[in-house]
Amino acid sequence: MLGTRGTVKEAPGFNPEQDTENLRKAMKGAGTDEAAIISILPHRTIAQRQQIKEAYKRAIGKELVDELKSELTGNFEKVVIGLLMQAPFYDAYELRNAIKGAGTDEACLIEILASRSSSEIKALTAAYSKEYGRNLEDDICGDTSGMFKRVLVSLRYFSHWFVELTVTCVLQEIYEAGEARWGTDEVKFLTVLCVRNRNHLLKVFQEYQQISGRDIEDSIKREMSGCLEDVFLAIVRCIKSKPGFFAERLHKSMKGLGTTDSILIRVMVSRSEIDMEDIKNEFLKTYGKTLYSFIKGDTSGDYRKILLELCGPEK
């Protein structure tokens, strides 16, 4: 089990052979029964979906993912295929897509690398290497530059080891790196944010506000810009509240004209079994509307239906 605050829980009386049969029926003949697919996959855990994939291969002699790809299209297909991947492989898949081809999706790199734990980063790095025969750090270095590259590489080695320094000492480091000098010492920010214990940093943020008269986030916005500002803000927001960080990502993906489906899909798929309940609570608290209503108003068809199943009902 990935987490205890997800909307996706283990299906009671789980029978992978029965699910295989129902999925086969859903794809047999002319047309596809999307409703049958929606009734199964969002209601099984990642571990249970792996068992369905194995049962399908045994019974039908074909890969379930390949069969679904040939039947489905668009954003609905992206959600379904994402659900069938194990978490580290899904992260690796998203990172690979963010890096390869023309241009880089920096927001995706920031979101994944700033929000995953050290063990999750270790697992996704191994998955990346296994799946693509490439080194994640080399690919990040080849696709980004300057201080932004250094921060991303540091996040690759992100760990919660605790440097025994007093809050005052760390505070001094951050304050001197930013507010108290002309120009910004990003390396110091990086050292403090990437290798400090979370509880320790929360105290530092609190005291920083008292000393400087402004929130650490405001200082980052004043001192930095572009991708560097985005990555430091993401690190701070994840330290303060990971569900709050993802609620903001979801809101950003749907507000205004059009929807950034890649963000919406990635967050809904990757957090549904970890902390989606907490993300929903943060979303309501911050934006005054339920995540469910936002998704319902911003998407349509089977894509909307499967996302709403992952979201879980309004309370």
Side-chain angles (χ1 to χ4, degrees):
M1 194 160 73
L2 289 180
T4 56
R5 298 289 298 152
T7 44
V8 174
K9 308 281 186 192
E10 280 193 353
F14 173 60
N15 183 337
E17 285 71 29
Q18 187 58 59
D19 284 347
T20 288
E21 180 55 26
N22 292 339
L23 286 168
R24 192 186 66 81
K25 275 186 201 159
M27 293 185 280
K28 214 167 87 173
T32 308
D33 182 357
E34 284 88 356
I37 294 168
I38 294 166
S39 73
I40 297 168
L41 294 180
H43 300 282
R44 306 290 182 270
T45 61
I46 294 171
Q48 289 178 329
R49 292 181 207 125
Q50 303 316 304
Q51 290 181 55
I52 295 170
K53 279 160 71 177
E54 287 162 19
Y56 196 94
K57 182 82 184 276
R58 279 196 306 272
I60 318 294
K62 291 178 179 176
E63 296 290 348
L64 176 58
V65 169
D66 295 340
E67 295 279 275
L68 286 163
K69 276 181 178 174
S70 69
E71 294 283 330
L72 310 176
T73 57
N75 289 323
F76 179 62
E77 178 196 342
K78 286 175 187 166
V79 176
V80 169
I81 301 309
L83 288 174
L84 287 166
M85 291 184 195
Q86 293 177 67
F89 286 90
Y90 184 59
D91 280 346
Y93 170 78
E94 288 291 305
L95 288 169
R96 183 75 196 119
N97 284 338
I99 291 168
K100 72 175 188 187
T104 307
D105 182 354
E106 289 92 355
C108 171
L109 297 182
I110 292 168
E111 179 195 301
I112 292 175
L113 295 173
S115 67
R116 303 309 190 248
S117 68
S118 48
S119 58
E120 287 170 333
I121 285 183
K122 201 173 174 184
L124 72 84
T125 302
Y128 191 93
S129 177
K130 187 177 177 184
E131 197 68 16
Y132 305 108
R134 304 175 67 91
N135 179 286
L136 178 58
E137 186 180 326
D138 290 348
D139 281 358
I140 289 170
C141 287
D143 229 52
T144 56
S145 61
M147 195 59 209
F148 178 58
K149 173 172 85 175
R150 287 177 69 174
V151 178
L152 290 181
V153 171
S154 292
L155 287 172
R156 264 264 293 110
Y157 297 104
F158 178 80
S159 71
H160 290 288
W161 57 266
F162 181 30
V163 180
E164 193 55 66
L165 285 171
T166 64
V167 169
T168 317
C169 201
V170 177
L171 202 54
Q172 199 62 33
E173 281 186 50
I174 292 191
Y175 189 64
E176 284 175 4
E179 291 290 338
R181 58 177 280 158
W182 293 101
T184 310
D185 186 349
E186 290 98 347
V187 177
K188 220 163 227 181
F189 262 101
L190 173 62
T191 310
V192 170
L193 293 179
C194 286
V195 296
R196 297 283 189 265
N197 168 285
R198 179 177 181 263
N199 293 331
H200 195 59
L201 274 175
L202 288 173
K203 280 187 206 147
V204 171
F205 296 161
Q206 245 174 353
E207 302 228 354
Y208 182 89
Q209 180 136 19
Q210 288 168 1
I211 285 179
S212 69
R214 61 169 56 90
D215 189 272
I216 185 82
E217 289 187 34
D218 294 332
S219 284
I220 289 168
K221 286 175 191 166
R222 279 163 56 98
E223 300 285 331
M224 298 173 196
S225 61
C227 290
L228 195 58
E229 176 190 335
D230 292 342
V231 73
F232 276 121
L233 284 176
I235 295 166
V236 168
R237 285 168 186 167
C238 284
I239 288 164
K240 285 180 175 177
S241 164
K242 228 172 255 192
F245 170 73
F246 285 113
E248 186 191 10
R249 295 288 293 152
L250 287 168
H251 184 256
K252 200 175 268 186
S253 78
M254 291 182 280
K255 72 170 187 179
L257 284 171
T259 308
T260 312
D261 294 294
S262 58
I263 299 172
L264 179 56
I265 293 167
R266 183 170 57 246
V267 176
M268 294 306 295
V269 169
S270 66
R271 307 312 291 185
S272 60
E273 209 175 314
I274 300 173
D275 53 4
M276 188 54 70
E277 291 291 359
D278 296 325
I279 292 168
K280 284 161 67 177
N281 292 340
E282 284 293 327
F283 195 96
L284 181 59
K285 198 167 82 181
T286 309
Y287 305 108
K289 286 185 176 174
T290 63
L291 176 58
Y292 190 97
S293 67
F294 246 78
I295 293 170
K296 195 173 178 183
D298 230 61
T299 56
S300 61
D302 294 314
Y303 174 47
R304 172 204 277 165
K305 286 175 191 167
I306 199 164
L307 288 179
L308 291 177
E309 294 299 318
L310 290 174
C311 177
E314 287 188 287
K315 286 178 180 168

